[in-house]
Amino acid sequence: MQKLILYEYLTVDGIAESPEKWQFPYYSPDVAEFNVSRILTADYLLLGRKTYDIFAASWPLQRNNEFGIADKFNAVPKFVVSSTLRETTWANTTIIRDAVQEIGELKRRLGSHIAVPGSIELARFLIANGLVDEIHLLVHPVIVGSGKRLFGSDNRTKPMKLLDSRTFSSGVVFLSYAPDNKGG
């Protein structure tokens, strides 16, 4: 069974929206190396529609970049959750309509893990439906004041347990959590 892992960039004030506007000053070589190692081990990418549209417009145009991420993103099987997308333009992409059932089936396949980069709305849905095995956060030392937060205001307590943490040279902090089914 594969783990479903959310990969999210956050600010200190909890904003996940538009990381391209605030994360690059903190993208130090050790953060880059860490990100590459996580991406290259994913068996599948699971994307929300908005993230898919952004990725599908840029990654297919990139080849043989210095870290191998473009090659990985272009080759790996991708799944996009959408009720409106009729066809895909990015190679190796499958549309998921019945998210809970089809993602459950995807998780039962052999392999290491399914990576969910960004995709805030999808991430919220996956958390609410108990499909997330781990949440990997890269918290950036910046406050942006406004924007979409990863965690909505559904007012439900979800106990988590810390699996790992690491501080990078740029001040970015990696935090890895899993649901704590024991309640604390």
Side-chain angles (χ1 to χ4, degrees), residues 57-149:
S58 63
W59 286 111
L61 304 174
Q62 299 180 41
R63 298 276 186 260
N64 300 320
N65 66 347
E66 93 180 83
F67 299 113
I69 295 173
D71 294 342
K72 176 68 175 193
F73 275 5
N74 288 321
V76 71
K78 294 165 282 294
F79 295 85
V80 57
V81 178
S82 175
S83 61
T84 59
L85 188 65
R86 297 292 166 231
E87 62 182 47
T88 62
T89 58
W90 195 8
N92 303 319
T93 301
T94 302
I95 300 169
I96 289 181
R97 302 265 186 237
D98 183 350
V100 172
Q101 178 185 336
E102 292 179 56
I103 293 169
E105 290 171 10
L106 185 60
K107 287 180 65 171
R108 286 188 283 281
R109 293 183 182 182
L110 293 177
S112 168
H113 73 279
I114 304 161
V116 184
S119 302
I120 299 168
E121 297 300 324
L122 176 60
R124 288 177 179 173
F125 173 84
L126 296 169
I127 292 167
N129 284 280
L131 294 168
V132 174
D133 297 296
E134 293 181 16
I135 300 173
H136 290 190
L137 305 173
L138 281 173
V139 181
H140 292 68
V142 62
I143 295 172
V144 296
S146 65
K148 258 188 200 174
R149 298 178 184 285

Side-chain angles (χ1 to χ4, degrees), residues 38-49:
R38 294 185 314 153
I39 290 166
L40 294 180
T41 61
D43 295 304
Y44 302 99
L45 288 181
L46 178 62
L47 306 165
R49 171 67 188 267

